[in-house]
């Protein structure tokens, strides 16, 4: 559920919000929202659900790369260039 909130920013905060928005290529309101969520996550750490998703992704990557030999792959690429 979304809720509208009004913020009063000093000059430095307003400039920082504009710079962040320009860097992210999003509206200022979206940049502020992302900054708040990221700061909260930084203070609390990774939420259990996000940690679970990350671990599952790492397991899948490990399975995908099982038996993969990067040295052999690079050698094959070099031989193909000759």
């Amino acid at each position: 559920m979304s809720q509208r909130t009004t913020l009063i920013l000093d000059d430095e905060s307003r400039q920082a919000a504009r710079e962040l928005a320009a860097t992210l290529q999003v509206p200022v309101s979206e940049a502020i929202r992302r900054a708040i969520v990221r700061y909260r996550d930084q203070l609390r750490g990774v939420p259990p659900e996000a940690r679970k998703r990350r671990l599952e992704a790492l397991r899948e990557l490990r399975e995908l790369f099982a038996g993969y030999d990067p040295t052999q792959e690079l050698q094959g690429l070099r031989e193909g260039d000759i």
Side-chain angles (χ1 to χ4, degrees):
M1 176 171 172
S2 296
Q3 185 173 350
R4 182 178 294 267
T5 300
T6 301
L7 298 174
I8 299 174
L9 303 175
D10 59 19
D11 291 337
E12 182 182 11
S13 298
R14 187 173 58 250
Q15 183 60 35
R18 287 180 179 165
E19 290 172 12
L20 183 58
T23 300
L24 297 173
Q25 297 179 348
V26 296
V28 171
S29 59
E30 176 64 12
I32 292 171
R33 188 197 68 75
R34 289 183 188 185
I36 292 169
V37 170
R38 185 168 177 110
Y39 185 66
R40 179 207 59 197
D41 291 347
Q42 212 174 12
L43 290 176
R44 289 193 327 189
V46 178
E49 185 57 37
R51 184 180 306 277
K52 186 177 176 181
R53 285 192 315 269
R54 290 177 183 181
L55 285 172
E56 185 57 35
L58 284 172
R59 286 187 189 107
E60 289 178 25
L61 281 172
R62 188 173 53 195
E63 288 178 24
L64 287 171
F65 282 95
Y68 173 77
D69 183 2
T71 305
Q72 185 179 14
E73 178 77 17
L74 289 172
Q75 184 64 35
L77 290 172
R78 286 187 195 116
E79 290 171 1
D81 288 342
I82 297 175

